[in-house]
Amino acid sequence: MTFFSRSIASLIVAGLSATAASAETLYLTAARMIDPGSERVIENPALLIEDGVVAARGTTANLTVPAGTATLDLGEMTIAPGLIDMHTHLTSSATKYRGWAGVGLPSERRLLWGVVHAGRTLRAGFTTVRNVGSEDYGILALRDAVNEGEIEGPRMFVAGPPVGIIGGHCSDNNLLPPEYEATGEGVATGPWEMRAKVRRNIKYGVDLIKTCSTGGVFSKGTSLGAAQSTVEELTAIVSEAHDRGLKVASHAHGAVGIKNAILAGVDTVEHASFLDDEAIRMAKRAGTYLSMDIYNTEYTLGEGERLGIREEALEKERAVGTIQRESFTRAVRAGVKVVFGSDAGIYPHGDNAKQLSRMVRFGMTPMQALQAATSLAAEALGKEGELGCLDAGCAADIIAVADDPLQDMTAFETVGFVMKGGAIYKTP
Ligand code: ARG
């Protein structure tokens, strides 16, 4: 039985009251709680939420309700930390203007999609996302509007325009003929130009730097196996970003580009599709996180033709999907730190959690998959002990599901309760 005390209504966010709602105190209980930090399942958990953070944690038997505190019992549900997706593109639509049709689409239109996608993502249980690349700086306005409670969405760490080479995956402007000289905001040549692009992104307020060290599936004329940027250029990007306190994510499918990125010292390698033994060893030694988007291949190969995705991209997807999943299995077995990154935007926002069951199918335990999307992702963000956890002091980013996810990870595909920073966005 789910029971709502009277004052709970004030915690439920309606439109613009997001920040106001988080100043309340709440005693939250449920049937069980999965704690990725201690790798334990706690029966009859109780959490005291105060000012948007977990103030105290225990069980209904040992944590008393302070006088006058609102209570919320989630009944038979299972609590987990809010999920973290390390690879999203909130201003991209999976279903509209794919392929050639996307040329000439104004960035304002994409930003409006971003507003819708941010809400969907949050209500799907993802309380934090890393947005690793957008055409321009509009994404920063989206992040700030969410933070100021004007729009519903997850906490966002945003990269802004990716930094990369002319004609590379990160410029992603290869569809137009030469007379347009179309080029991405972050396109540069040589270490100093790369540094300048990093500085410009930091000037405008990005949270991390995204670069590309190989070609990609969806960029015209790029090859998955071919390296992009020299190690010298990648090293310049990383040193500039790290000196300023920002982390770096590098898109890389082919083994050479993956290794170049690791050598340069990037924090996360995105996709990491063609991992050879040396790349796995290097990632392990350097402590590089791999963010491997092993669900979206099903969507692209199933829906791509209907959506108008160019044959070149479909061809590349056919070449990479299965191999990436095999790489995932080997990386997990080798003990590499693999985090949850989905590339939502390639497939519909809000379906992010579909990847969790695949992570189990391809070699993780359910607890490992949950850690990849909570505690380990938080560690990769440099937010360990703050996000992706349920201890006292952690942000009150909490979700709940009806079924037991440790038996079946698809339980996370229907999240019934979402709290972010102590404010409730979805109730059963
Ligand atoms: N953004 C990536 C690219 O264009 C998507 C790759 C998706 N495919 C995959 N098997 N992970 O390269």
Side-chain angles (χ1 to χ4, degrees):
M1 252 292 282
T2 301
F3 164 73
F4 279 77
S5 74
R6 232 174 349 132
S7 44
I8 281 308
S10 61
L11 279 145
I12 298 173
V13 174
L16 302 181
S17 60
T19 41
S22 41
E24 312 264 341
T25 302
L26 176 72
Y27 184 86
L28 181 69
T29 53
R32 69 196 66 73
M33 175 165 95
I34 309 177
D35 179 31
S38 62
E39 303 193 335
R40 278 177 48 224
V41 177
I42 295 123
E43 301 294 329
N44 304 311
L47 295 168
L48 188 65
I49 315 291
E50 230 172 69
D51 296 327
V53 299
V54 177
R57 155 191 165 156
T59 63
T60 48
N62 63 24
L63 187 69
T64 47
V65 193
T69 301
T71 60
L72 174 59
D73 179 21
L74 293 171
E76 281 309 304
M77 298 188 98
T78 301
I79 285 177
L83 302 171
I84 302 174
D85 192 334
M86 296 292 280
H87 194 124
T88 65
H89 298 280
L90 287 172
T91 53
S92 298
S93 168
T95 53
K96 300 179 103 175
Y97 298 94
R98 296 296 300 267
W100 296 104
V103 177
L105 192 71
S107 57
E108 290 85 349
R109 186 73 193 282
R110 294 184 191 273
L111 189 54
L112 291 172
W113 286 344
V115 174
V116 177
H117 297 155
R120 274 187 204 153
T121 304
L122 177 63
R123 282 188 296 277
F126 285 79
T127 50
T128 299
V129 302
R130 214 174 50 152
N131 202 82
V132 281
S134 51
E135 312 50 50
D136 52 38
Y137 296 98
I139 191 77
L140 280 80
L142 184 62
R143 174 198 64 191
D144 296 345
V146 168
N147 287 343
E148 291 181 28
E150 297 162 0
I151 290 172
E152 285 189 17
R155 296 175 194 279
M156 289 165 59
F157 295 90
V158 306
V163 178
I165 65 166
I166 296 171
H169 183 73
C170 271
S171 89
D172 206 7
N173 264 292
N174 303 342
L175 289 171
L176 287 168
E179 59 268 36
Y180 292 92
E181 283 294 350
T183 192
E185 294 252 4
V187 169
T189 303
W192 281 104
E193 273 187 36
M194 298 272 173
R195 283 182 185 271
K197 292 294 181 184
V198 172
R199 290 174 184 174
R200 179 169 184 259
N201 278 358
I202 295 173
K203 169 179 173 175
Y204 292 119
V206 304
D207 303 297
L208 73 141
I209 300 298
K210 165 80 181 293
T211 189
C212 291
S213 49
T214 71
V217 171
F218 291 99
S219 49
K220 179 172 172 261
T222 70
S223 148
L224 298 177
Q228 293 186 0
S229 285
T230 64
V231 175
E232 192 189 14
E233 286 171 320
L234 293 168
T235 304
I237 291 170
V238 171
S239 101
E240 192 67 42
H242 283 180
D243 285 352
R244 308 282 299 276
L246 277 75
K247 296 193 185 291
V248 179
S250 187
H251 158 111
H253 288 287
V256 175
I258 292 170
K259 291 182 228 180
N260 286 350
I262 296 171
L263 276 177
V266 307
D267 301 280
T268 65
V269 172
E270 309 301 306
H271 313 296
S273 308
F274 298 90
L275 287 172
D276 60 19
D277 290 343
E278 189 183 26
I280 287 177
R281 267 199 307 276
M282 286 172 68
K284 233 191 133 170
R285 197 176 318 125
T288 314
Y289 300 85
L290 306 183
S291 157
M292 301 179 72
D293 51 333
I294 58 167
Y295 162 68
N296 61 47
T297 185
E298 294 171 41
Y299 183 83
T300 300
L301 295 182
E303 305 293 324
E305 220 163 308
R306 179 180 69 82
L307 295 168
I309 291 173
R310 292 170 304 106
E311 179 51 32
E312 179 208 345
L314 293 177
E315 186 116 337
K316 286 192 264 186
E317 186 53 59
R318 282 179 215 116
V320 74
T322 305
I323 289 175
Q324 187 189 28
R325 288 170 162 201
E326 288 165 7
S327 289
F328 177 88
T329 304
R330 287 192 296 117
V332 170
R333 277 202 196 124
V336 179
K337 296 191 275 193
V338 179
V339 291
F340 182 100
S342 72
D343 217 347
I346 282 182
Y347 69 92
H349 296 277
D351 283 356
N352 312 52
K354 286 189 175 175
Q355 186 172 288
L356 284 166
S357 64
R358 276 69 175 182
M359 292 169 94
V360 171
R361 189 190 308 160
F362 291 100
M364 284 185 167
T365 64
M367 185 63 87
Q368 269 182 310
L370 180 62
Q371 288 170 326
T374 54
S375 47
L376 194 66
E379 186 189 297
L381 287 168
K383 299 287 173 190
E384 200 180 356
E386 194 180 321
L387 300 178
C389 52
L390 294 163
D391 306 302
C394 295
D397 293 358
I398 297 166
I399 60 168
V401 294
D403 301 311
D404 181 2
L406 297 183
Q407 298 304 315
D408 179 3
M409 289 302 267
T410 63
F412 283 118
E413 293 173 23
T414 41
V415 169
F417 172 82
V418 178
M419 170 184 276
K420 186 192 77 172
I424 297 170
Y425 293 83
K426 191 180 195 179
T427 47

